[in-house]
Amino acid sequence: LARLARAAAPAPWDDSGVVGVDPRIKARAAATEDNIWLWRLSAWLQSPFEATLSLDTDVLVLRPTFVHSLLALETDAAAPVDPARYFAHSTWGADASAAPPFCACVLRLTKSPLVEAWLLGAADRLATKRHAHVRQGDQEMLWYEWQENLAGRLRLLILPEDYYCPNVPLSAARPPTWNTSWHGWN
């Protein structure tokens, strides 16, 4: 990424803050250069902070207390429910109803061996395309790793959909509305 950014940015270029792919992920995945999801997992693994809050660029923070309230949570991780994505039981498996899908648009992580195992496990799943029948993204692999290996141990708080970034383009002809379809979730 540093190479690509350097080509697009004017000189002088300061890449002292650019991190590379975590060596533990690089060892697991041969092609990390072009996989943005492995880069995201790697960045989260390399955070030096006891609590990390990651926000996608399309997240609009509306409350001044938003960041502090999420960082103060006493949980291993927190992410909002993803009302735009659903798990079709035929493609996600019998345990798909165990927990709703979540979105990594807002992700709060605690630095701990358990969270590290979660991130590395998700990277393994992504690198090996273990779940080729679903979108090959970080949040899908984090969900599978949570459900199949860490359920009952990793304290993942699923935040309400108020925290979700809908990423729906709005226009004057289409007033802002919120419509959640749970696709079979009761």
Side-chain angles (χ1 to χ4, degrees):
L1 286 180
R3 177 179 40 81
L4 298 172
R6 186 177 293 118
W13 173 257
D14 175 17
D15 62 0
S16 61
V18 175
V19 296
V21 174
D22 187 283
R24 296 166 292 181
I25 288 182
K26 203 168 211 162
R28 289 168 159 77
T32 56
E33 186 71 23
D34 298 328
N35 191 322
I36 190 66
W37 308 119
L38 285 173
W39 277 86
R40 261 175 53 134
L41 291 166
S42 181
W44 294 331
L45 273 167
Q46 295 179 69
S47 172
F49 305 105
E50 291 301 315
T52 298
L53 179 60
S54 173
L55 303 175
D56 280 2
T57 57
D58 61 344
V59 171
L60 181 61
V61 177
L62 299 176
R63 284 185 229 133
T65 58
F66 177 78
V67 171
H68 297 291
S69 64
L70 285 176
L71 289 174
L73 290 172
E74 293 198 23
T75 185
D76 296 318
V81 67
D82 187 343
R85 188 167 316 221
Y86 68 97
F87 294 159
H89 295 284
S90 60
T91 58
W92 284 81
D95 293 332
S97 62
F102 59 86
C103 183
C105 64
V106 174
L107 186 63
R108 185 256 191 241
L109 301 167
T110 298
K111 192 170 199 67
S112 73
L114 195 56
V115 170
E116 185 175 289
W118 185 42
L119 296 170
L120 288 171
D124 278 341
R125 291 170 187 276
L126 194 54
T128 60
K129 297 183 178 7
R130 193 174 312 167
H131 306 282
H133 58 285
V134 297
R135 186 185 82 120
Q136 297 297 294
D138 53 352
Q139 61 199 29
E140 290 79 9
M141 300 310 130
L142 285 166
W143 185 88
Y144 272 114
E145 184 64 18
W146 173 47
Q147 287 299 292
E148 294 180 1
N149 287 337
L150 299 170
R153 294 188 296 147
L154 182 78
R155 299 172 304 160
L156 175 59
L157 175 63
I158 303 294
L159 300 166
E161 65 184 48
D162 304 26
Y163 288 84
Y164 177 68
C165 60
N167 195 16
V168 175
L170 299 175
S171 69
R174 182 178 171 203
T177 60
W178 185 260
N179 180 11
T180 300
S181 172
W182 290 97
H183 300 283
W185 290 96
N186 296 321

